[in-house]
Amino acid sequence: RVNTAFDEFVKGIEQMRERTISDMHTRIDDYRRRLNCLHDQETAELEGILDRTKKEDMVASINSLETDTFKRQSAKLEKFIRNKGEIHQNLIQLQSKTFLDPAKWESLQNAQLIAYNPKFNKSYRPEEKTADQVTCVEEAFEQGYGLYALREYLPALEFFNKIIEMEPSCSLAYVSQGRVLLELNRCDGALISCDKAIEYDPSFSDAHAVRGRALAKVHKFKEAIKSYNQALKYNPQNTDALVGRGNASRDLRNFKDACQDYEKTIKLDSSLAGPHVGKGKVFYRTRKLGAALESFSKAIQLDPENIDAYCGRGGVLELLNQFDQAEVCFERAKELDPNYHEIYNGKGSLLFHLGKYEEATAQFDKSIQLNPLGVVAHNLKGTTLFEMGKEEEAIVYYDKTLELDPNDPTAYNNKANALKKQNKIEDAMACYNKSISLDPCYAAPYNGKATILIEKNRLDDALEAYKSALLYDPHSALIHNNTGNLLFRLSRFEEAVTHYDRTLEIDKDNLLACRNKG
């Protein structure tokens, strides 16, 4: 009877979107009177909740019920109190759990905090139970969250499936199910779960945010941004949605928009590592390696168990030729989660730069096994095969990369290199141009295009291509050396020497530059 009455209370709150605060208080009092006939302990607890839901103490009430996970919502709740049209959005968590025993909300929210916050999840251990052994929804939630925290995704999925079986309209369970399916690379299933959550609760911000993650994982970045925008419409302070939108913008090469979202997130919660990881990846792509290293290091400082931060830092150290330190980062990430595919991309790339191509290929195969949708692993394996003289096999992997992400400029550039090696010059030029059109700030295709223009004796055009390449990657020893060679051919010897000197500043052991300068 108590749960039924409380269901009616929350349903009434939902219907008050256009009602005044005063009317809301009247309705709350009405529901309280209807509970007067119940005098057990649950009723007393429920009446306390109703009392604290009054305007003057709503924030304190929500905080006491929801624990630290939702304390950051206080400012937003105060705004919602002033804006009657947004009351329903502020009580979204209440609406999602109307069928739960209110006395158990705190333990449930602690479990949810543990599951999604790596600062807590290492110390948490769920009870050893199967989904069939749980007797109530809140117990199933606790077990599912605990297993999620331990990265035991298949067992966690069983508990969230059990909740849906017990309460088919629970939007929170569908979102939790979607999160687990994403970790299992079952993106289609995750989208279905999120759509189901949104069907039951269209204004559930987290449902839209997880939906955005699922779309981004299958490289539908523009659609992902639309979902993140919906999440932020219903909760402008949803930091997961802000970071996710930033990541999608980054993958679309909209680096300015990405950094704006990361900065907004940091202002909302300076303790989060995610936006610093995102900034690090932007700096990595734009070859601002010092800033990238600083961002990844900051993320590790905030969250010493952030796997993405270690992988990112390892990638930067690799480009700085600090191979031993890079290996330490990748090994630390592997200790944290040996089944995270990005680790093997990093280790494979490191082995590639050390000339250990067979070992590098094995690492990329491991990454693809763990994440068959991985664009980076397919692309890197293609590049490794190309260096091994297997151009035809390399093109197969580049084509697979472009099947997964048709807008990947690096795959077009790498495919062009393989086509050029096969003397398919026009096809190669088309791929270089396509790569440049997708990312005009990407240096490599300008360098490749210049080599073809030189073969066509279009030397001035080639020099312009090299200038563009150096504009976007001024620290490339290869491009400086190539530019020096072309200037030498044009009898511009002093300029050629300047570029050979720059090559040797970047790579003091570059024998080609030493010979060419001599």
Side-chain angles (χ1 to χ4, degrees), residues 174-203:
Y174 285 108
V175 171
S176 301
Q177 182 188 59
R179 290 181 192 270
V180 176
L181 290 170
L182 271 182
E183 299 295 342
L184 295 170
N185 293 315
R186 290 161 59 176
C187 298
D188 289 344
L191 282 170
I192 292 170
S193 296
C194 292
D195 287 341
K196 199 70 176 176
I198 292 167
E199 176 187 332
Y200 286 115
D201 192 342
S203 61

Side-chain angles (χ1 to χ4, degrees), residues 446-465:
Y446 292 105
N447 181 66
K449 183 177 179 178
T451 62
I452 292 179
L453 291 169
I454 290 171
E455 291 178 5
K456 292 176 176 287
N457 206 35
R458 294 169 55 185
L459 303 186
D460 290 338
D461 291 338
L463 186 58
E464 288 303 312

Side-chain angles (χ1 to χ4, degrees), residues 228-344:
Y228 289 129
N229 287 340
Q230 282 294 102
L232 292 164
K233 171 185 173 182
Y234 295 117
N235 179 3
Q237 295 183 332
N238 187 326
T239 53
D240 287 341
L242 275 172
V243 172
R245 188 173 70 177
N247 292 343
S249 295
R250 183 192 69 224
D251 288 324
L252 289 170
R253 282 88 192 171
N254 296 330
F255 298 131
K256 181 179 178 181
D257 291 345
C259 286
Q260 285 177 348
D261 277 336
Y262 297 142
E263 291 299 336
K264 287 179 185 176
T265 308
I266 292 168
K267 286 181 181 179
L268 285 171
D269 188 345
S270 60
S271 71
L272 295 176
H276 294 283
V277 172
K279 286 176 65 177
K281 290 183 178 181
V282 169
F283 293 138
Y284 178 88
R285 289 195 180 187
T286 54
R287 289 302 186 263
K288 297 176 181 177
L289 300 183
L293 194 62
E294 183 179 348
S295 291
F296 289 128
S297 298
K298 178 65 175 178
I300 292 170
Q301 177 187 340
L302 291 169
D303 178 7
E305 298 185 352
N306 190 298
I307 301 172
D308 275 327
Y310 284 106
C311 289
R313 192 170 190 274
V316 175
L317 291 168
E318 175 196 329
L319 289 183
L320 295 172
N321 296 325
Q322 298 180 27
F323 300 128
D324 290 342
Q325 292 185 47
E327 177 66 18
V328 169
C329 288
F330 295 132
E331 284 300 319
R332 175 58 179 149
K334 189 176 179 181
E335 288 174 12
L336 293 169
D337 184 1
N339 294 316
Y340 186 51
H341 64 280
E342 289 289 355
I343 297 167
Y344 302 97

Side-chain angles (χ1 to χ4, degrees), residues 127-190:
E127 295 180 33
E128 293 186 3
K129 288 187 177 182
T130 66
D132 292 334
Q133 291 175 317
V134 297
T135 57
C136 61
V137 168
E138 56 266 25
E139 184 182 11
F141 264 120
E142 287 193 50
Q143 292 293 116
Y145 288 143
L147 291 164
Y148 183 96
L150 297 174
R151 300 189 177 96
E152 296 180 17
Y153 300 121
L154 282 173
L157 183 61
E158 292 181 9
F159 283 97
F160 294 128
N161 290 344
K162 180 69 173 180
I163 297 166
I164 292 169
E165 179 185 321
M166 297 165 71
E167 292 288 345
S169 62
C170 177
S171 57
L172 185 61
Y174 285 108
V175 171
S176 301
Q177 182 188 59
R179 290 181 192 270
V180 176
L181 290 170
L182 271 182
E183 299 295 342
L184 295 170
N185 293 315
R186 290 161 59 176
C187 298
D188 289 344

Side-chain angles (χ1 to χ4, degrees), residues 27-238:
R27 294 289 291 275
I28 290 172
D29 290 338
D30 178 58
Y31 286 119
R32 182 187 291 105
R33 284 192 293 272
R34 294 172 62 182
L35 291 168
N36 282 341
C37 60
L38 303 174
H39 300 291
D40 58 14
Q41 183 179 358
E42 284 185 304
T43 304
E45 291 173 358
L46 183 55
E47 288 192 0
I49 292 168
L50 294 174
D51 279 331
R52 292 194 300 276
T53 310
K54 286 286 194 175
K55 174 181 177 180
E56 60 270 19
D57 200 28
M58 182 179 284
V59 173
S61 171
I62 297 297
N63 282 344
S64 67
L65 289 171
E66 305 272 88
T67 70
D68 290 344
T69 306
F70 299 104
K71 281 186 178 178
R72 69 185 66 168
Q73 305 291 334
S74 295
K76 183 185 67 174
L77 287 171
E78 290 169 354
K79 172 188 172 185
F80 287 163
I81 293 167
R82 294 191 298 269
N83 187 341
K84 58 183 171 58
E86 295 179 341
I87 290 173
H88 173 66
Q89 297 168 25
N90 275 275
L91 296 177
I92 185 65
Q93 295 297 334
L94 291 178
Q95 182 186 1
S96 299
K97 299 187 288 295
T98 55
F99 49 83
L100 298 179
D101 177 357
K104 297 184 180 179
W105 283 0
E106 184 171 349
S107 63
L108 172 59
Q109 289 306 328
N110 281 332
Q112 189 177 25
L113 172 66
I114 288 163
Y116 300 136
N117 191 329
K119 292 181 180 179
F120 297 96
N121 62 29
K122 287 298 178 181
S123 61
Y124 182 79
R125 290 293 181 274
E127 295 180 33
E128 293 186 3
K129 288 187 177 182
T130 66
D132 292 334
Q133 291 175 317
V134 297
T135 57
C136 61
V137 168
E138 56 266 25
E139 184 182 11
F141 264 120
E142 287 193 50
Q143 292 293 116
Y145 288 143
L147 291 164
Y148 183 96
L150 297 174
R151 300 189 177 96
E152 296 180 17
Y153 300 121
L154 282 173
L157 183 61
E158 292 181 9
F159 283 97
F160 294 128
N161 290 344
K162 180 69 173 180
I163 297 166
I164 292 169
E165 179 185 321
M166 297 165 71
E167 292 288 345
S169 62
C170 177
S171 57
L172 185 61
Y174 285 108
V175 171
S176 301
Q177 182 188 59
R179 290 181 192 270
V180 176
L181 290 170
L182 271 182
E183 299 295 342
L184 295 170
N185 293 315
R186 290 161 59 176
C187 298
D188 289 344
L191 282 170
I192 292 170
S193 296
C194 292
D195 287 341
K196 199 70 176 176
I198 292 167
E199 176 187 332
Y200 286 115
D201 192 342
S203 61
F204 195 176
S205 179
D206 282 354
H208 292 284
V210 177
R211 188 175 191 276
R213 280 184 58 202
L215 289 166
K217 197 156 188 175
V218 293
H219 314 295
K220 295 181 178 180
F221 302 117
K222 291 181 179 179
E223 293 179 49
I225 288 174
K226 291 179 181 178
S227 285
Y228 289 129
N229 287 340
Q230 282 294 102
L232 292 164
K233 171 185 173 182
Y234 295 117
N235 179 3
Q237 295 183 332
N238 187 326

